[in-house]
Each structure stands twice: as C-alpha cells, then as structure tokens.
C-alpha cells in the first residue's frame, strides 16, 4: 500500500529537478503565509465579501491586474531561465526537455495569462467610467469571466509541480501534441487551462460589446465616444469572431487525445494542417485583440499630455475597425513555408501588407496630435513615446516577414522571435503599462511615484533594445527558435550573451516597477482632485477612487472630449450644465456563484486532465448546479437610496 | 402617501428591468453569433475530413435516411411548437405557454433519443469515433449539435419550473424569448447538418 502511494506520488508530482523542489517549497511557504495572514488579521470575511463575491467592475478590474502582474512575474522568470540557458554555448542549466516546457509555458502565460488579463483589467476599469455607465452590461457574467480566467490560469500553472508541463510550444501543434507525441498530462493541462480561461475571454467580449453599444451616457453618439472605448469595441468584435475557433480547436484536440479520434492525427485520415490553420485563425486575430486596446490607451494618453484633441479621430476609428476585420484574413502568414502554394501565399502576403496601412495611419495621428501640443512627460506619456519607434521597427520587420519568398529565410528564426517580441512588448505591454499608470489614481485614489517609475521606464527600455536587437542579427545568422543549446563553432555567442544581459535588465526594470508600487502604497500621495492629469474624458469628472455606483447622476454628453469641454465651459464662467436629480440607483447584488462555478470548471478540467471521471463528472454536475442556482435566483439586485448617495458623495467630495 | 411613494418606486423598478431585459436579449444575440462561428468551424472540419475514411465506412455505408428524416421532422415541429409557446405567452396564457414548452422539450427529447440510438447502433457495428477521420468529424459535429439540444432541454425544463412559480413577468418573458431564439437557432443548424452531413453524404 505504501509502495503504491509512493509510486503514485512520484508520478503525480514533478520530481527530480532542484529548481522544481525549490518552487515546491516556495509555493507551500507562500500558501501557509497567506492563510496565516488572513486568519491572523481576521480577513477571511473581508476577502469573501469584498473580493471573491464582488460583481463591481472596478474590483474585477483590480483582480485582473493583480493576477496579470503575478503572471508577468512567472512568465518573466521563465524568460530569464531561457536566456540563462542560451547565454553561453553548451550550457547545462536546463535539460532540453525542461527547456521545451519553459518556452511553452513562457509563451502561453505571457499571451493568455498576462497580456489578456492586463487588457481586461483596463477594459473593466476604464470603459464603464469613460462612457458614463454604472457598470458593465452583465456584471455577474463579468465576475464569472474573471474567475474562469483565474482558475484556468491556475490549472495551467499547476502543471509545473503536478504531472508535468506542456512542452509542444505555445500553440501545441499536432502531431507532437497528440497522444503519440506527448503521452503525458502536460498537453491536457494546456488544453483545459486555455479552454476554461478562453470561455471567460469570449464572455468578456460579449459583455463589453453590449456595454459599449447599449450603455453609453445620453448624448454620447458614436462620434463622441472616447478612443479607448472604440479600441475596446474593435478588440471585442475580434474576440467574438476568433475565440469560438479556439474553443472548437482545443476541444477537437482533446477529443483526439481522450477518445482516440483522428481529426488531427497522422493516421486514420486525420489532417494536422487543419489544426495549424484553425489555431492561427484564432491566433492571428488574437495578437490584434491584445494590441488594439493598447492603441486606444496611447490615443488617450497622447491627447491628455499634449493638451490637444486627438488628431484624425475618424481616421483612427476607421483604422481600428479595418484592423479588426482584416486581422481575420492574414492567418496563413504564420506558415508560408508549409506548402500552401504560391497563389494562397500571395493572397495572405498582400492582406498582411494591407493591415500595416491602417497601423501606419495611427502612428501619424499620434505624431500629429503631439505636433504643436503643450507636451508634458509623466510616465504614461514616456511609455507612449517609447512605443512609437519601437512599434515602427517591429512593424517594418513584420512587413519584411510578410514577403512570402523572403519569409522562407526568416521563418522560425530568431528574426521572427525578435519581431513578435518587439510588437507585443513594444506594442501591447508598453500600452498596458501606460494605461496602468494613467488610470492608477482613478482606481486606487493615489498616484504612483514618478521618479521610480522613470527608473523603471529607462531600465526596461534599454534592456528591451539590448535584449531583442541582437536577436534580429542572430536570426539572420541562422539561429532557429526553440533550440535549447548551440556550439561555440556557430558564432552566435556574443549576440546571445548581449541578449541575455538585456533580458536581465528588463528583469531589473520589473523590480523597479514592483518597488514603485510598494513605495507608492507606503507613502500614499492621495489624488484629491479626481483629475490628476488634466484629463479629457468622463472618468476624470468623478472622485478618485471612483464611488461604488460610479456616477451619482448620469452625465449628459454634448461633446467629444466631454470633461475637457466642461472644464472650458466652467472656466469661461458658463454655468455648469444642469444635471439630473438624484434618484435611487439600481445595483447588482454580490454573488458567490461565479467563484463557485469557476471552481467546478477547474475541478472538471483537472479530472479530465488525469482522465479521472470520478473527479470530472462531479465537476460538471457542479457547473450545471451553479448555472441552475443562478437561473432560479430572482433576488439579484438592490437600490442605493438617495440619502446613501448624498452621504457617499459628501464623503468623497470632502477631500476635493 | 406611503403607498404612492411605493408605487412610484415600483414603476422605476419595472422600467429599469425593461431596459435590462432588452440588454440581455442583445447579449444573447451576440452569444448566438459566437455559437454560429463555433458550428462553422465544426462544419469546415467535417468538410475537410469527410473523404478521409481510412478504409473504414463512408457516409453511404452508415447513413440510414428514415431515422434522420424522422429526427428532422421532430425537430422542425418542436421549433414550431416553441413558436406557439411564445404566441401563448404574448396572449398572456401561462397554461398555454407551459404546455407548448413541455411539448417542445418532449419533441427535443425524442430527437435526442433517436440520435443516441443512431450513434449506439453505429458503435455497436464497430463504427466508432476512432475508426476514421470521417467518423471523428461526423461524431463531433452531429454530437455537438445533440449536446446543444440536450442543454436546451434542461434549460427549458428549468424555465417551466420558474414559470409555474413566478408566472409571466418581464424576467420570465425575456427568458422564454431567449430560449426560443436558442431553439430556433439549433433548428437552423440542424438544417445544415441534415443537408451537408446526411443529404450530401448519401447522394
């Protein structure tokens, strides 16, 4: 019996690597510390009432951002392990198998569990406030989306200490990811982790389209909508078009693995290329999904810190919508070399080049917004300005990659790696940082320390160029992606070493970021104005942090940059616009169901990973039970009384 | 006085709900778009795999049209009765509404029963999802539709219980309208399953 147990444990837990044992200890210590702290400070009730059961979009947004930063830490740590392994030829730091797991995990975490939640966090925080709404369209669904993402991410992360990680690359191409190539549980962790969080993302897409289309404040016509909100709409349209494809593709791969079907297998008539096509039909729109909202952030930031209207509003909207649509017709450029033939390759090469045109339009719009503006350079603006050259270089190398014949040289080399890191970090991550610093005072009511923020900015940026510029060259020198080591004879050492140095600089930049946040929490510099940057859009017209119900009375919009124009009107002595009388505010009640349902999904996914139906079936029954419990519950909302609103407004304005 | 204040509050409440229910219907239309894309991907996969029989049986060898035609008529009829349920609701007849919803899901259950027996027969003859890519595509596409119908069955069943408890209110009206949209949508998808999988299979 004991032997059996030991056998089981050595199979169930990942063993044999000192790094993993270290991680095991760290995880156990952290969990004990959290449980102890919550018990000692009697915070369990607070955690449950204020966070785990909340349906408030601002709190959901904060939880997204906290999770994303944790995932950035893990994904970044993976990146540093990869760079350490490549810093010298013939390194023995990671075994090839372990290296495969680390690059797979790095990719999945950075795109799906870092970029996506950071983006959703900004959606949640900014969109309802920008359009003058009290919440998102479906607050319950919003909380459910978050918890599905969270438990999906946890399921994926768990594979690192239990069962073994996926190691077939971030998109898990068959036949390698089929049972024949990956008989372990790693791929199943990948499938269910990504599947569960993907369902959450899909619902977020639906939620924000409904919010933006139906819940704008009176007077906010399409042409008065803030640009970030436009970018979220463009991104969400791409989400609802692309994410169902991911859902099906992963489900089919699981059917292959679990039931022995032959959809993507090499035998039985299966077609592995079908998977590659489908996964990129999601995967390519996905990269635009993550970058479009960053474009929205830049547009807000650049207008605010130039004290000017955004240049070319209509062309900006048109460009974003064009990108959102055309992004669906470029997927094949990820595999020009896989034998689709010249005609097909040409179509996708041209569509790829076409998509760079609206992107170029946007770059000029930002530059012209700054032209003759009254510029100031706090951290959100610094990240925006750093983004422009970075994205131009990344975009140009993207156009080089889109030339199908030339791609046969670049394909799967470090040239590609440098390109997509440059557009994803320089495009998306810079934008999210800009957005995070920009909206931070609105979320938390205090500002972040600018001095440490500038240190973080410079170290991070210098690190970025030192890390990725050499990779273009080493890629042209013939180094391919995903190789775990190389010999001295290749001549790749110097560039790789430089790249590793840059990687660690970015790691130090991240530490500055953590220090910046910790320092700012300690020496909290309160934002008493509600409008610390001299903002232009409605979120800056309310106190910081935003009250529970956002707007005491629904704002009435008469102009594009409504809050800016309102301030001009007030300065000119024109009376403040007549606002509506206070009336009771209809609010959704907190609910434990999103949290519980996500746990049930997690349980079902975990059972299916190990093919343990005795866990999976109760999990699915739990999902069904929570769905029904929600459907049968008619007591889902309450009203905040006028007296309560007055009391809260007075409390918030007292600090004004 | 107190009564009148209460009354005003009630009207505000109902108004808020009216907008909310419209919003939820809009959200459901968006969901249907995603479900539509989900099925298109399954159809595309089936189309790619349909000739890859890998030495196993082809469509002509396994499809038995009488059962499929029965399934089709049952599902089409259930779509019609779900429409009658909405009409009954619009006439304010709770009894009629519940009755037609019950007929709808009973027909749905017959459909699922027939489909399950078709699948079981195939499996018992040794034609399983493991046999060939064609059968993998067949079972996943038709099975996903069947799974949707099964979900619809339990969903409408739960709705019937709610209707018997709460009657026809703005909330239950919206729920009936949404389930009815869902049911018609599954009917439309079945038309494609019938044409592409079965009809084109036997021709």
């Amino acid at each position: 019996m004991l032997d059996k147990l030991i056998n089981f444990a050595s199979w169930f837990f990942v063993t044999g690597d000192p790094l993993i044992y270290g991680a095991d200890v760290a995880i156990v210590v952290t969990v004990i510390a959290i449980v102890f702290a919550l018990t000692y400070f009697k915070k369990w009730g607070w955690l449950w009432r204020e966070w785990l059961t909340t349906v408030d979009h601002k709190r959901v947004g904060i939880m997204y951002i906290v999770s994303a930063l944790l995932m950035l830490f893990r994904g970044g740590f993976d990146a540093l392990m990869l760079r350490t392994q490549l810093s010298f030829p013939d390194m023995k730091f990671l075994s090839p198998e372990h290296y495969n797991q680390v690059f797979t995990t790095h990719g999945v975490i950075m795109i799906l569990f870092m970029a996506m939640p950071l983006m959703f966090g900004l959606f949640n925080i900014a969109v309802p406030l920008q359009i003058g709404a009290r919440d998102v369209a479906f607050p319950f669904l919003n909380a459910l989306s978050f918890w599905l993402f969270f438990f999906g991410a946890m399921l994926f992360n768990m594979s690192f200490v239990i069962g073994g990680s996926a190691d077939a690359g971030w998109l898990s191409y068959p036949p390698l990811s089929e049972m024949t190539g990956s008989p372990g549980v790693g791929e199943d962790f990948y499938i269910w982790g990504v599947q569960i969080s993907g369902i959450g993302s899909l619902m977020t897409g639906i939620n924000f389209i409904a919010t933006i289309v139906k819940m704008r404040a009176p007077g906010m016509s399409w042409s008065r909508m803030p640009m970030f909100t436009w970018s979220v709409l463009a991104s969400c349209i791409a989400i609802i078009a692309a994410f169902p494809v991911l859902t099906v593709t992963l489900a089919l791969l699981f059917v292959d693995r679990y039931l022995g079907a032959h959809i993507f297998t090499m035998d039985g008539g299966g077609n592995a290329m079908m998977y590659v096509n489908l996964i990129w039909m999601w995967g390519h729109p996905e990269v635009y999904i993550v970058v479009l909202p960053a474009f929205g952030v830049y547009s807000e930031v650049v207008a605010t810190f130039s004290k000017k209207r955004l240049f070319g509003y209509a062309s900006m909207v048109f460009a974003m919508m064009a990108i959102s649509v055309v992004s669906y017709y470029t997927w094949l450029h990820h595999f020009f070399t896989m034998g689709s033939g010249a005609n097909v390759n040409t179509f996708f090469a041209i569509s790829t080049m076409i998509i760079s045109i609206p992107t170029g339009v946007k770059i000029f719009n930002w530059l012209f917004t700054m032209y003759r503006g009254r510029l100031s350079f706090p951290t959100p603006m610094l990240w925006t300005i750093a983004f422009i050259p970075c994205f131009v270089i990344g975009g140009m190398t993207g156009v080089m990659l889109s030339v199908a014949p030339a791609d046969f040289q670049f394909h799967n080399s470090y040239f590609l790696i440098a390109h997509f890191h440059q557009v994803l970090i320089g495009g998306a991550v810079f934008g999210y940082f800009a957005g995070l610093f920009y909206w931070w005072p609105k979320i938390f009511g205090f500002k972040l320390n600018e001095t440490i923020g500038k240190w973080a900015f410079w170290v991070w940026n210098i690190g970025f160029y030192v890390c990725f510029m050499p990779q273009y060259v080493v890629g042209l020198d013939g180094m391919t992606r995903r190789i775990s080591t190389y010999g001295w004879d290749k001549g790749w050492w110097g560039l790789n070493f430089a790249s590793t140095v840059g990687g660690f600089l970015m790691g130090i930049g991240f530490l500055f970021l953590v220090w910046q946040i910790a320092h700012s929490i300690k020496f909290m510099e309160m934002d008493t104005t509600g409008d610390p940057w001299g903002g232009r859009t409605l979120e800056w017209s309310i106190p910081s942090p935003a009250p529970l119900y956002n707007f005491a009375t629904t704002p009435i919009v008469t102009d594009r940059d409504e809050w800016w124009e309102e301030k001009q009107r007030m300065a000119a002595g024109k009376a403040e616009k007549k606002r509506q009388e206070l009336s009771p505010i209809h609010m959704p009640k907190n609910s434990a169901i999103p949290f519980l349902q996500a746990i049930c999904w997690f349980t079902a996914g975990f059972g299916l990973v190990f093919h343990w139906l005795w866990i999976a079936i109760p999990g699915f029954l739990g999902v069904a039970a929570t769905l029904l419990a929600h459907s049968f519950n008619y007591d889902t909302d309450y009203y905040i009384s006028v007296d309560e609103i007055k009391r809260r407004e007075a409390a918030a304005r007292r600090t004004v | 006085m107190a009564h009148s204040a209460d009354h005003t509050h009630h009207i505000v409440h109902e108004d808020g709900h009216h907008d909310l229910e419209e919003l939820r219907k809009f959200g459901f239309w968006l969901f249907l778009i995603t479900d539509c894309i989900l099925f298109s991907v399954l159809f595309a996969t089936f189309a790619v795999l349909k000739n890859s029989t890998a030495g196993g049986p082809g469509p002509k060898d396994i499809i038995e049209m009488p059962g499929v035609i029965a399934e089709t008529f049952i599902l089409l009829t259930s779509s019609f009765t779900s429409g009658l349920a909405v009409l009954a609701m619009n006439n304010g007849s709770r009894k009629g509404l519940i009755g037609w919803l019950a007929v709808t899901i009973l027909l749905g259950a017959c459909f699922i029963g027939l489909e399950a027996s078709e699948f079981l027969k195939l499996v018992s003859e040794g034609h399983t999802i493991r046999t060939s890519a064609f059968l993998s595509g067949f079972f996943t596409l038709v099975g996903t539709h069947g799974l949707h119908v099964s979900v619809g069955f339990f969903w409408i069943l739960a709705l019937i219980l709610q209707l018997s408890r709460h009657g026809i209110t703005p909330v239950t009206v919206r729920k009936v309208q949404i389930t009815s949209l869902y049911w018609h949508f599954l009917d439309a998808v079945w038309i494609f399953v019938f044409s592409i999988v079965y009809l084109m299979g036997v021709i």
Side-chain angles (χ1 to χ4, degrees):
Chain A
M1 184 63 200
L2 190 67
D3 282 353
K4 264 190 180 167
L5 212 61
I6 291 172
N7 264 335
F8 171 78
S10 67
W11 164 78
F12 187 65
F13 293 106
V14 177
T15 51
D17 190 318
L19 282 171
I20 302 273
Y21 289 131
D24 286 341
V25 173
I27 290 169
V28 171
V29 170
T30 314
V31 169
I32 291 174
I34 291 173
V35 170
F36 177 78
L38 285 171
T39 314
Y40 185 80
F41 294 106
K42 299 196 171 59
K43 288 289 189 190
W44 284 105
W46 166 82
L47 181 70
W48 178 258
R49 280 190 309 274
E50 303 283 318
W51 297 99
L52 301 187
T53 61
T54 189
V55 293
D56 177 7
H57 69 97
K58 300 175 286 295
R59 295 196 172 219
V60 171
I62 291 172
M63 291 194 289
Y64 267 122
I65 287 172
V66 171
S67 320
L69 292 178
L70 286 174
M71 287 293 106
L72 177 61
F73 171 74
R74 180 168 180 208
F77 199 84
D78 285 337
L80 294 185
M81 291 207 291
L82 299 175
R83 282 315 321 165
T84 307
Q85 168 64 22
L86 293 175
S87 56
F88 287 95
D90 305 323
M91 275 288 273
K92 298 279 186 290
F93 177 63
L94 297 175
S95 68
E97 294 75 24
H98 198 179
Y99 187 88
N100 289 348
Q101 295 185 350
V102 176
F103 74 65
T104 301
T105 312
H106 168 74
V108 175
I109 286 190
M110 284 304 203
I111 297 273
L112 290 161
F113 301 136
M114 188 284 285
M116 291 292 280
L118 199 47
M119 168 180 106
F120 288 152
L122 296 179
F123 282 19
N124 268 287
I125 279 155
V127 170
L129 297 180
Q130 278 201 326
I131 62 173
R134 292 256 159 74
D135 207 317
V136 294
F138 312 116
F140 173 90
L141 195 67
N142 194 30
L144 183 59
S145 293
F146 169 75
W147 288 111
L148 286 179
F149 144 72
F150 182 82
F151 281 101
M154 287 303 111
L155 187 62
F156 180 79
N157 273 273
M158 217 165 77
S159 62
F160 157 58
V161 288
I162 292 176
S165 296
D167 56 4
W170 82 283
L171 284 183
S172 229
Y173 281 7
L176 182 57
S177 59
E178 293 280 0
M179 266 315 190
T180 43
S182 306
V185 295
E187 288 310 312
D188 299 306
F189 269 119
Y190 168 89
I191 290 171
W192 285 100
V194 175
Q195 185 73 291
I196 291 172
S197 70
I199 295 168
S201 307
L202 186 56
M203 296 192 311
T204 304
I206 292 175
N207 210 339
F208 277 87
I209 293 181
T211 307
I212 293 168
V213 173
K214 294 284 191 186
M215 294 181 69
R216 281 167 293 141
M220 186 178 278
S221 59
W222 290 109
S223 61
R224 290 177 187 160
M225 212 160 81
M227 194 51 68
F228 179 69
T229 303
W230 266 114
S231 72
V232 172
L233 183 65
S235 172
C236 286
I237 290 172
I239 286 178
I240 68 164
F243 267 77
V245 185
L246 175 71
T247 306
V248 174
T249 311
L250 291 173
L252 293 179
L253 182 61
F254 188 72
V255 167
D256 269 6
R257 289 178 59 86
Y258 186 60
L259 299 176
H262 292 287
I263 296 163
F264 306 127
T265 55
M266 297 304 277
D267 58 343
N271 191 331
M273 275 313 289
M274 187 66 195
Y275 181 94
V276 179
N277 275 286
L278 288 177
I279 200 81
W280 279 116
M281 244 180 248
W282 159 75
H284 195 81
E286 165 69 8
V287 301
Y288 284 97
I289 288 167
V290 298
V291 87
L292 279 168
F295 291 165
V297 172
Y298 299 129
S299 306
E300 299 292 343
V301 167
V302 102
T304 302
F305 297 108
S306 305
K307 300 231 175 291
K308 258 181 76 186
R309 269 199 177 197
L310 185 68
F311 182 89
Y313 180 93
S315 64
M316 205 66 132
V317 170
F318 184 77
M320 286 202 203
M321 287 299 157
I323 290 174
S324 166
V325 174
V326 181
S327 74
Y328 218 60
Y329 300 94
T330 62
W331 80 84
L332 192 128
H333 69 215
H334 295 271
F335 43 97
F336 280 141
T337 57
M338 293 197 197
S340 301
N343 292 338
V344 175
N345 277 359
T346 307
F347 175 87
F348 284 94
I350 291 172
S351 65
T352 307
M353 292 172 200
I354 285 175
I355 208 169
S356 68
I357 296 171
T359 318
V361 168
K362 301 160 79 63
I363 297 275
F364 284 106
N365 282 340
W366 291 314
L367 292 177
F368 285 130
T369 306
M370 282 188 265
Y371 179 67
R372 291 199 165 164
R374 275 179 290 146
L375 297 182
S376 57
F377 299 96
T379 39
M381 186 65 166
L382 285 181
W383 286 100
T384 301
I385 290 182
F387 144 80
I388 291 176
C390 195
F391 200 76
V392 168
I393 301 171
M396 296 298 274
T397 54
V399 175
M400 287 169 72
L401 282 158
S402 78
V403 180
D407 183 67
F408 278 68
Q409 287 302 312
F410 306 137
H411 186 77
N412 274 358
S413 73
Y414 261 78
F415 188 87
L416 167 78
I417 303 294
H419 157 73
F420 75 67
H421 280 92
Q422 189 152 22
V423 284
L424 281 171
I425 298 178
V429 177
F430 280 19
Y432 299 156
F433 281 172
L436 187 60
F437 299 141
Y438 180 63
W439 281 304
W440 187 280
K442 186 49 65 190
I443 317 165
F444 294 103
F446 64 94
K447 284 189 173 182
L448 286 174
N449 183 296
E450 281 285 308
T451 316
I452 310 174
K454 281 177 183 163
W455 274 94
F457 168 78
W458 283 109
V459 174
W460 188 289
N461 264 273
I462 293 166
F464 175 83
Y465 284 96
V466 176
C467 184
F468 291 106
M469 293 301 125
Q471 293 188 5
Y472 282 117
V473 183
V474 84
L476 293 178
D477 282 350
M479 183 164 165
T480 51
R481 71 193 296 195
R482 291 175 178 169
I483 53 168
S484 66
T485 192
Y486 54 92
W488 284 101
D489 54 329
K490 299 282 189 197
W492 297 338
W493 171 67
L495 290 164
N496 268 297
F497 187 75
S499 180
T500 302
V501 169
F504 276 89
L505 277 177
M506 290 168 80
I508 296 169
F510 179 77
L511 294 181
F512 270 109
L513 192 76
V514 175
W515 181 29
Q516 180 194 17
I517 294 174
H519 182 275
S520 310
I521 291 174
K522 186 145 188 271
F523 302 99
M524 213 174 267
E525 190 193 332
M526 299 306 292
D527 166 35
T528 53
T529 58
D531 185 13
W533 310 116
R536 310 182 71 82
T537 41
L538 286 174
E539 72 267 35
W540 306 109
S541 68
I542 55 173
S544 301
L548 177 64
Y549 43 78
N550 297 353
F551 295 87
T553 56
T554 309
I556 294 160
V557 178
T558 53
D559 218 308
R560 187 173 291 158
D561 290 337
E562 175 61 22
W563 175 237
W564 180 261
E565 299 300 331
E566 176 84 359
K567 284 189 285 189
Q568 304 302 315
R569 285 193 291 266
M570 288 194 295
K574 288 178 195 159
E576 200 170 348
K577 267 183 311 182
K578 197 167 171 286
R579 294 217 165 189
Q580 294 160 300
E581 289 288 303
L582 287 179
S583 61
I585 295 175
H586 187 213
M587 296 292 287
K589 275 189 178 165
N590 281 3
S591 172
I593 290 176
F595 180 70
L596 297 177
Q597 188 175 117
I599 289 184
C600 295
W601 273 107
F602 176 87
T603 312
F606 184 78
L608 286 175
V609 166
F610 285 96
H611 298 191
W612 292 337
L613 287 180
W614 56 276
I615 291 185
I617 290 172
F620 280 119
L621 290 177
V623 172
T626 46
L627 281 172
L628 287 173
H630 180 59
S631 176
F632 277 87
N633 178 18
Y634 278 62
D635 178 24
T636 52
D637 36 23
Y638 70 103
Y639 280 86
I640 301 182
S641 69
V642 173
D643 291 342
E644 172 74 8
I645 301 167
K646 282 183 180 156
R647 198 184 57 71
R648 282 177 187 253
E649 283 295 296
R653 300 281 176 188
R654 194 164 300 145
T655 56
V656 171
Chain B
M1 211 41 215
H3 176 79
S4 124
D6 215 327
H7 186 68
T8 327
H9 176 82
H10 187 70
I11 288 171
V12 171
H13 192 85
E14 290 302 323
D15 267 7
H17 263 303
H18 181 71
D19 287 348
L20 212 56
E21 303 315 332
E22 284 302 314
L23 187 63
R24 286 173 177 159
K25 266 189 267 172
F26 179 71
F28 194 76
W29 275 106
L30 293 175
F31 165 77
L32 282 185
I33 295 175
T34 66
D35 219 21
C36 201
I37 295 170
L38 184 141
F39 274 108
S40 346
V41 178
L42 285 169
F43 276 111
T45 311
F46 177 79
V48 166
L49 301 178
K50 99 175 141 43
N51 297 323
S52 306
T53 50
K60 282 197 178 79
D61 309 317
I62 58 161
I63 291 172
E64 291 175 11
M65 277 320 265
V68 178
I69 289 169
E71 280 175 51
T72 307
F73 275 102
I74 289 172
L75 201 65
L76 289 178
T77 312
S78 81
S79 212
F80 177 63
T81 58
S82 118
L84 291 179
V86 173
L87 283 180
M89 178 178 76
N90 292 345
N91 290 332
S93 158
R94 170 165 26 167
K95 238 186 197 167
L97 169 58
I98 292 179
W100 285 120
L101 285 181
V103 173
T104 304
I105 59 171
L106 278 178
L107 289 168
C110 293
F111 171 85
I112 297 163
L114 280 174
E115 185 164 276
S117 67
E118 180 199 350
F119 277 18
L120 283 175
K121 185 161 175 288
L122 285 175
V123 171
S124 70
E125 285 165 359
H127 308 316
T128 71
I129 198 166
R130 293 163 180 253
T131 306
S132 67
F134 156 66
L135 279 169
S136 302
F138 171 83
F139 278 113
T140 46
L141 172 57
V142 182
T144 305
H145 179 267
L147 198 63
H148 272 75
V149 177
S150 312
V151 168
F153 174 86
F154 288 106
W155 190 6
I156 297 178
L157 187 63
L159 184 55
I160 290 175
L161 294 176
Q162 291 174 31
L163 282 167
S164 63
R165 191 184 297 175
H166 299 280
I168 299 173
T169 70
V171 176
T172 51
V173 166
R174 181 259 307 170
K175 288 189 175 188
V176 171
Q177 286 168 338
I178 281 179
T179 46
S180 152
L181 270 179
Y182 180 75
W183 202 262
H184 291 313
F185 168 74
L186 293 183
D187 202 39
V189 172
W190 179 257
I191 304 291
F192 284 93
V193 173
F194 178 75
S195 323
I196 292 174
V197 177
Y198 291 103
L199 221 51
M200 284 168 71
V202 289
I203 289 169

